Amino acid sequence: QIEFIACIERQSLCADTCLFIHANIDLENIIIEVKDSFNKTIYLDLTSIQANNEHVFTLENISSGEYIIEIKSGENYIIGCFIL
């Protein structure tokens, strides 16, 4: 069983938003994609996450609204949404 924890933190002094992703196993060559409510990709990254470590990335100058995050590894994927 793979466990993901995603946490969103809005920086109080700027418009940037940090996302933290934690996995309980090593994940190699995963794609992280964030889309806005118009289905426009605002963040795309190919990365790896080591077990029990956080992967942190920043969404710069992101406005309030609803967003979709997709985490893909081969044919496996997780889709979630968040509102700022």
Side-chain angles (χ1 to χ4, degrees):
Q1 178 181 358
I2 300 173
E3 294 178 5
F4 276 103
I5 299 172
C7 178
I8 302 164
E9 177 181 295
R10 177 78 117 184
Q11 301 296 318
S12 60
L13 299 177
C14 62
D16 294 348
T17 300
C18 293
L19 277 77
F20 302 82
I21 298 175
H22 178 92
N24 64 335
I25 63 169
D26 288 341
L27 298 173
E28 299 290 328
N29 300 318
I30 63 168
I31 298 170
I32 301 171
E33 184 173 14
V34 178
K35 297 178 183 179
D36 64 15
S37 59
F38 301 104
N39 209 33
K40 178 183 173 189
T41 298
I42 59 167
Y43 180 88
L44 181 64
D45 189 23
L46 174 65
T47 190
S48 297
I49 300 175
Q50 293 180 350
N52 301 312
N53 285 325
E54 289 182 339
H55 176 74
V56 181
F57 59 98
T58 301
L59 302 176
E60 297 177 356
N61 298 314
I62 189 171
S63 59
S64 296
E66 188 171 330
Y67 296 88
I68 296 171
I69 183 168
E70 298 179 10
I71 303 171
K72 304 173 192 173
S73 177
E75 295 183 16
N76 301 312
Y77 61 93
I78 294 173
I79 298 175
C81 66
F82 60 95
I83 299 173
L84 295 176

